[in-house]
Structure formats: C-alpha cells, structure tokens
C-alpha cells in the first residue's frame, strides 16, 4: 500500500472579505405650488424640470469593488385636474439626447406617476431634462421629481468559487415627500452558474440575509455574457423602461429595488 | 397586455410620421387610438428603436399593430 504524506490541501480558503453598501438620501423636489403643464402642440422649448446628477447621489461601497456600474430611477408626478381624461406627453433627455418619449391617457381627477429606469451608466454631471406637455388641456399640473442611484453588476472578486457567503438585502431607498406609496420593487439577481453561455440566476427579494455555505458565482465572459456575479438589479438593468401609476390619493408611487447592504465571503483558491 | 415592437422608425416613416418632427408623438398617439382604442400608455425607447405599449382591458393584440413595428413577446426583452 502506498502511503502519501504531506499532501497539500485541495483548496485554500482566503480571508473573510466584507463589503458594506451605503446609500444616499434620494433627491426629491415636491413643488410647493404645482407647475402648469404647457398646453402646446409639440415638445416645449424648455423642460418643465431639470436635474443635474451629483457625486453625492452615488452609493458608497467599502472597500472599493473591482468594478461596478450605476443606474438610476427617475420618478415624476402630476395631476389631471380636468373633468375628462387627457393624453399627456413626456420626453426625457439625458445630456441633450432623448432617452424615451412616452404618452399615456391620464384619468380625470387623479394623480399620475411615471417611474423611469433607463439610465444605465449614469455619471455625476449628467443632466436630466424632463419635458411634459398636453395638447388638449390647460388643467394638467406637474408636482414632483424624484431621483436615486443604484449599483449593479457589482464585481467584488476575480474568483468564482466562494465559501461562507453572506448577502444581506434590503430596500434602503425610501422617498418621503408628497403622499408616497410604493409602486413596485425589483429583486437582486445573482448568477449561480452557467448553462452553456447562459447565466442562470437566482433572485434575492426579501429584507433578509442569505447565507451560502459554498457558492459558485459566475464571472464575466468577454463578448458572451453580461456579468452578474454578486449581483444585478432588475429595474434599471435587467429591464430598462418605464411604468405608469395613477391614483386618487398617492403621488408619487415610486419604484425601487432590493439592494445589498452587506456582502461577505471567502475566496476558494 | 404589454407588447413591444421593434424597428419602429422605418415603420413610422412609411406611415408619414417622422420621429425627428416636433409633432410625431401626437401623430403616433392618433394612429394608436385608431388601431388600439383601449391603449393606456406607449413609450418609445430611442436607443432600441422600440415601442413599449400597454393596453388596458384588452387581451387580444390586433393584427393591425404590425404597421407600427415587429411585435416580440415582451418578456423576451428582459435580461
């Protein structure tokens, strides 16, 4: 019988790495006196509201990740104070370039909210221009602008095999101005393995800590897949569009995502 | 029902609606009102050249919608 002695262990567990995520207070502007939405035939020459993104709007991740992207949620609200339903037009520009144009039928006497999540790769200094107009009424008001930034595609390690993984998820961004209500919440997506070139993801969608004794979190493959790894958000990355809410009592009706507040792990090398 | 239409710019041009004009949103709303009387919201995503359309209280998408773009199942655009 051959006896082997002094074998090297098959794997070495790295030190515990612990990342904390801290989120900025969302920007909110509730118009004390509602603004009159222009009653014009086409897009007005000047926006009804503008927001310039600040460096202070960005979350902080400590220690710094290898890489991450940032995306944003814009929430805008107003009211149809007319006696009949009216079509309202919006156009959102980022740095002078159209991001989306939207039109919807507003209900008479109700507040409306548009949640817009089409700002992947948002950066400090970006200028968001909001154009609103109505061709058929002088009785539409603009009352609220909200904006917040979220991390996505967070790369915390160049490895793919991990031990003692802990991911804590919450909804840390809460608008407070006006008469707010939550319209929707997107999950935090982690990539647990690949099937061919397809990322197979798991959704973390509760205010909770998710422990994984061992985990394989797939890394990026250049030109093949979008990196998810330790996480990617739904509204603003996995899907990029907008949603409409109307209500007799609530404005805004805001969208937000489940986001990590803490991620820790050991790399298996 | 929520549907997504692709390659919208060329379809609108064929209908005489130019996205570069100041009144194209009104013209598109008028066209949609004829094709989809129950539509509640449409959104044009410039960088995808796509229309995202919500239709209230109507689970059937009329064939006439194809004049505005090429319909794809909405979920296929996720991820």
């Amino acid at each position: 019988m051959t006896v082997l002695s002094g074998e090297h262990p098959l794997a070495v567990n790295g030190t515990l790495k612990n990342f904390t995520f801290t989120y900025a207070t969302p920007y909110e502007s509730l118009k004390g006196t509602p603004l009159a939405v222009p009653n014009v035939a086409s897009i007005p020459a000047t926006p009804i509201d503008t927001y310039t993104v600040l460096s202070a709007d960005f979350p902080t991740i400590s220690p710094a990740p290898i890489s991450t992207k940032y995306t944003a949620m814009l929430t805008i609200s107003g009211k149809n104070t007319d006696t009949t339903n009216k079509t309202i037009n919006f156009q959102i520009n980022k740095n002078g370039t159209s991001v989306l144009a939207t039109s919807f039928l507003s209900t008479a006497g109700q507040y409306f909210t548009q949640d817009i999540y089409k700002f992947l790769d948002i950066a400090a200094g970006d200028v968001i221009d909001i154009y609103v107009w109505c061709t058929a009424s002088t009785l539409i008001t603009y009352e609220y602008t909200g904006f917040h930034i979220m991390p996505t595609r967070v790369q915390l390690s160049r490895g793919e095999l991990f031990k003692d993984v802990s991911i804590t998820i919450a909804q840390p961004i809460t608008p407070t101005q006006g008469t707010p209500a939550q319209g929707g919440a997107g999950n935090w997506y982690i990539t647990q393995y690949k099937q061919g070139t397809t990322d197979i993801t798991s959704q973390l969608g509760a205010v909770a800590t998710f422990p994984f004794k061992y985990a394989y979190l797939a890394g990026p493959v250049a030109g093949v897949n979008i990196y998810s790894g330790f996480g990617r958000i739904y509204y603003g990355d996995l899907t990029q569009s907008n949603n409409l809410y109307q209500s007799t009592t609530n404005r805004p009706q805001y969208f937000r995502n489940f986001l990590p507040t803490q991620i820790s792990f050991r790399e298996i090398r | 029902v929520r549907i997504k239409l692709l390659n919208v710019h060329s379809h609108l041009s064929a209908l005489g609606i130019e996205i570069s004009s100041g009144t194209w949103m009104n013209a598109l709303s008028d066209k949609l009102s004829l094709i989809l009387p129950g539509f509640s919201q449409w959104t044009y995503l410039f960088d995808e050249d796509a229309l995202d359309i919500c239709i209230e209280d109507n689970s059937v998408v009329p064939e006439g919608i194809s004049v505005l773009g090429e319909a794809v199942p909405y979920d296929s655009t996720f991820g």
Side-chain angles (χ1 to χ4, degrees):
Chain A
M1 182 176 68
T2 302
V3 177
L4 297 177
S5 61
E7 267 189 322
H8 290 291
L10 290 175
V12 176
N13 299 328
T15 58
L16 186 70
K17 293 188 175 182
N18 185 30
F19 292 82
T20 58
F21 296 68
T22 306
Y23 295 91
T25 301
Y27 167 78
E28 292 184 277
S29 175
L30 179 68
K31 312 304 178 189
T33 302
L35 308 177
V37 167
N39 173 216
V40 293
S42 59
I43 185 168
T46 56
I48 198 163
D49 205 1
T50 293
Y51 184 66
T52 301
V53 180
L54 305 174
S55 57
D57 293 332
F58 285 76
T60 56
I61 305 174
S62 180
I66 293 171
S67 69
T68 186
K69 286 179 175 287
Y70 292 99
T71 186
M73 181 73 70
L74 173 68
T75 301
I76 56 180
S77 292
K79 190 173 186 179
N80 176 352
T81 67
D82 214 326
T83 55
T84 57
N85 300 347
K86 300 293 180 185
T87 295
I88 297 175
N89 302 312
F90 283 104
Q91 182 167 314
I92 308 298
N93 288 4
K94 181 180 135 184
N95 299 330
T97 299
S98 300
V99 174
L100 62 79
T102 184
S103 176
F104 69 94
L105 192 62
S106 66
T107 303
Q110 290 199 6
Y111 292 112
F112 57 84
T113 296
Q114 285 274 357
D115 292 291
I116 299 145
Y117 36 94
K118 199 158 169 53
F119 300 102
L120 191 60
D121 291 324
I122 195 80
D126 283 348
V127 177
I128 309 296
D129 286 323
I130 302 156
Y131 297 87
V132 188
W133 70 104
C134 179
T135 62
S137 176
T138 60
L139 298 174
I140 309 300
T141 60
Y142 185 87
E143 304 190 5
Y144 174 89
T145 302
F147 186 85
H148 66 259
I149 293 177
M150 303 157 286
T152 191
R153 307 187 197 184
V154 180
Q155 189 180 7
L156 302 178
S157 168
R158 298 190 194 284
E160 295 188 334
L161 290 171
F162 304 97
K163 184 176 184 292
D164 301 332
V165 177
S166 173
I167 302 176
T168 301
I169 299 295
Q171 296 186 81
I173 297 171
T174 305
T176 59
Q177 295 190 14
T179 49
Q182 183 159 349
N187 290 340
W188 181 254
Y189 283 68
I190 61 173
T191 302
Q192 293 209 278
Y193 62 95
K194 290 188 196 306
Q195 197 166 66
T197 58
T198 302
D199 287 343
I200 303 302
T201 58
S202 291
Q203 304 178 33
L204 309 183
V207 180
T209 295
F210 296 85
F212 301 89
K213 183 72 174 172
Y214 293 95
Y216 168 71
L217 296 174
V221 178
V224 174
N225 70 316
I226 295 173
Y227 174 73
S228 174
F230 274 99
R232 191 177 175 201
I233 64 169
Y234 187 70
Y235 294 116
D237 186 358
L238 266 163
T239 182
Q240 300 177 52
S241 186
N242 67 296
N243 274 80
L244 166 70
Y245 281 97
Q246 301 199 74
S247 168
T248 54
T249 54
N250 293 112
R251 67 91 170 84
Q253 288 189 282
Y254 59 86
F255 264 38
R256 59 181 176 175
N257 285 283
F258 285 97
L259 299 168
T261 56
Q262 179 269 339
I263 297 176
S264 60
F265 57 86
R266 297 178 194 275
E267 295 167 326
I268 299 176
R269 296 191 285 259
Chain B
V1 176
R2 190 166 184 171
I3 58 172
K4 200 156 190 173
L5 302 176
L6 305 180
N7 298 319
V8 172
H9 199 164
S10 59
H11 285 74
L12 290 183
S13 292
L15 296 171
I17 302 171
E18 286 297 336
I19 286 176
S20 57
S21 77
T23 57
W24 74 275
M25 292 174 70
N26 299 340
L28 178 56
S29 287
D30 291 345
K31 181 64 68 177
L32 275 167
S33 296
L34 293 173
I35 300 171
L36 297 169
F39 92 98
S40 60
Q41 180 186 205
W42 62 261
T43 298
Y44 179 72
L45 308 172
F46 284 87
D47 54 353
E48 297 176 27
D49 189 21
L51 263 179
D52 174 359
I53 301 172
C54 289
I55 310 165
E56 279 187 349
D57 304 324
N58 182 355
S59 60
V60 178
V61 179
E63 291 182 2
I65 200 73
S66 62
V67 302
L68 298 175
E70 296 149 20
V72 294
Y74 193 84
D75 283 347
S76 73
T77 64
F78 290 172

